Amino acid sequence: MRHDHLITSKQLSRGDITEVLDHAAEIADDPGAVLEKHAGTLLGLLFFEPSTRTKMSFETAMKRLGGDVVDMGSIESSSVKKGETLADTVRVIEGYADALVLRHPREGAPKMASEYVDVPLVNAGDGAGHHPSQTLLDLYTIRENAGLEDLSVGIMGDLKYGRTVHSLAYALTKFDASQHFISPESLQLPREVVYDLHQNGATVREHGDLESILPTLDVLYVTRIQQERFPDENEYRKVAGEYRIDAGTLEAADDDLTVMHPLPRVDEIAPEVDDTGHAAYFEQAHNGVPVRMALLDLLLGDSDE
Ligand code: NCD
């Protein structure tokens, strides 16, 4: 991997992405081959926002490569509470760990932090910005279920604040996927993201409802309304509960439609969808382990062998 840090999916070429996905597939086929590859390596976990999947799958990935983690723990129990700056925190923890994973509510925080450290740093989500390791596992899941050629993807829900959406859209542009964005007007993609996607060659098609576009889709990527990022609670209430799919919704879909969701879901996907052949979101979450093993292995390289 030619990158020192993973901050956004924008920095990844199609070749970089394919390298990670191919390596993840190798690891998924034969996890025993890398069992002790990074024995003694420590991954520093710095989560300034809640996380279940991302944090635990990075931890699992590091341990399955033979390493271990050191975890800053909750903000309440760390020196952040005493007013320590992020730049100081990462410089301290870089002395304990061989790589860092950082989630932060402020957009751009991982980029800034990466400028203070020499060990690889992965952005595990920065506010409404980016979440590139999620994108890699999303693409892995898409490749397994629908392939990455001639792909038509619908991305639905909170496109404004959903960082997984922004990261995925940039990456799909590199695979020339046909992208459809389905949301209420108030939660459309930020205009600067649309502009940027256009600059990168994407055709951005925005829709107010799913109905007209659903039959043409290979993948439907559903997202949660990011309640915690709404400046005004009333604005949240206006849109909560819109854009929910159930088994009835999917009757109009292609039999091979793959339904994905980065999780956690609130009520965007009715539980009855879980039992249909469309549901790929639990498989998607599980793919976080081989994909993050591949990513860590490539970022760490042979330096610790
Ligand atoms: C997402 C996130 O944190 O952006 N979760 C995840 O990492 N799988 C999506 C979300 O919180 O809605």
Side-chain angles (χ1 to χ4, degrees), residues 49-51 53-54 103 124-125 127 131 134 162-164 223-226 228-229 261-264 292:
E49 269 192 348
S51 174
R53 272 150 294 276
T54 305
R103 171 171 287 187
H131 193 351
Q134 176 71 40
R163 56 196 174 198
T164 66
T223 62
R224 176 177 72 86
I225 307 279
Q226 308 280 298
E228 67 276 28
R229 308 210 193 282
H261 191 305
L263 302 179
R292 290 183 167 121

Side-chain angles (χ1 to χ4, degrees), residues 13-281:
S13 68
R14 191 171 164 146
D16 292 331
I17 294 169
T18 306
E19 183 186 12
V20 179
L21 303 197
D22 287 350
H23 191 36
E26 273 167 26
I27 290 174
D29 275 354
D30 184 10
V34 287
L35 205 60
E36 291 298 323
K37 185 155 181 207
H38 293 282
T41 298
L42 286 177
L43 180 65
L45 301 175
L46 295 89
F47 281 74
F48 292 77
E49 269 192 348
S51 174
T52 304
R53 272 150 294 276
T54 305
K55 187 167 160 180
M56 288 188 74
S57 65
F58 264 114
E59 179 165 356
T60 306
M62 193 67 255
K63 289 182 174 172
R64 293 217 182 279
L65 289 168
D68 209 337
V69 296
V70 281
D71 186 346
M72 185 187 79
S74 69
I75 303 175
E76 277 63 36
S77 64
S78 75
S79 279
V80 176
K81 259 292 188 238
K82 302 182 193 165
E84 185 169 56
T85 65
L86 180 60
D88 281 0
T89 303
V90 291
R91 274 182 290 188
V92 169
I93 299 179
E94 134 175 89
Y96 308 152
D98 304 289
L100 303 176
V101 177
L102 170 65
R103 171 171 287 187
H104 201 280
R106 204 157 17 90
E107 253 176 89
K111 170 86 186 90
M112 183 278 281
S114 72
E115 285 159 12
Y116 287 89
V117 296
D118 291 324
V119 300
L121 183 146
V122 178
N123 173 10
D126 59 328
H130 295 270
H131 193 351
S133 68
Q134 176 71 40
T135 296
L136 291 168
L137 73 93
D138 292 342
L139 293 173
Y140 183 88
T141 309
I142 293 174
R143 192 168 84 164
E144 295 273 294
N145 284 276
L148 283 166
E149 302 300 324
D150 292 327
L151 189 67
S152 177
V153 182
I155 305 183
M156 183 167 88
D158 187 346
L159 313 181
K160 182 175 182 181
Y161 298 114
R163 56 196 174 198
T164 66
V165 170
H166 307 153
S167 280
L168 182 60
Y170 285 108
L172 285 172
T173 303
K174 294 179 182 146
F175 289 88
D176 302 318
S178 168
Q179 301 189 61
H180 298 274
F181 297 93
I182 307 126
S183 71
E185 210 179 329
S186 60
L187 292 181
Q188 283 179 342
L189 279 176
R191 292 304 95 181
E192 64 272 19
V193 173
V194 174
Y195 176 78
D196 223 12
L197 289 172
H198 276 304
Q199 292 291 100
N200 283 282
T203 313
V204 175
R205 297 185 187 84
E206 296 179 293
H207 308 267
D209 66 73
L210 178 64
E211 225 177 345
S212 57
I213 195 69
L214 180 62
T216 71
L217 300 178
D218 302 310
V219 173
L220 176 61
Y221 189 96
V222 184
T223 62
R224 176 177 72 86
I225 307 279
Q226 308 280 298
Q227 174 185 11
E228 67 276 28
R229 308 210 193 282
F230 274 69
D232 175 356
E233 180 86 1
N234 289 325
E235 283 301 307
Y236 166 69
R237 283 191 210 293
K238 272 192 227 158
V239 287
E242 279 187 59
Y243 300 86
R244 180 176 192 272
I245 64 161
D246 56 23
T249 322
L250 294 177
E251 274 167 26
D254 190 279
D255 287 347
D256 291 333
L257 175 77
T258 300
V259 176
M260 295 173 58
H261 191 305
L263 302 179
R265 71 173 147 181
V266 182
D267 57 2
E268 311 80 45
I269 303 180
E272 67 202 30
V273 177
D274 304 358
D275 304 322
T276 69
H278 298 295
Y281 27 91

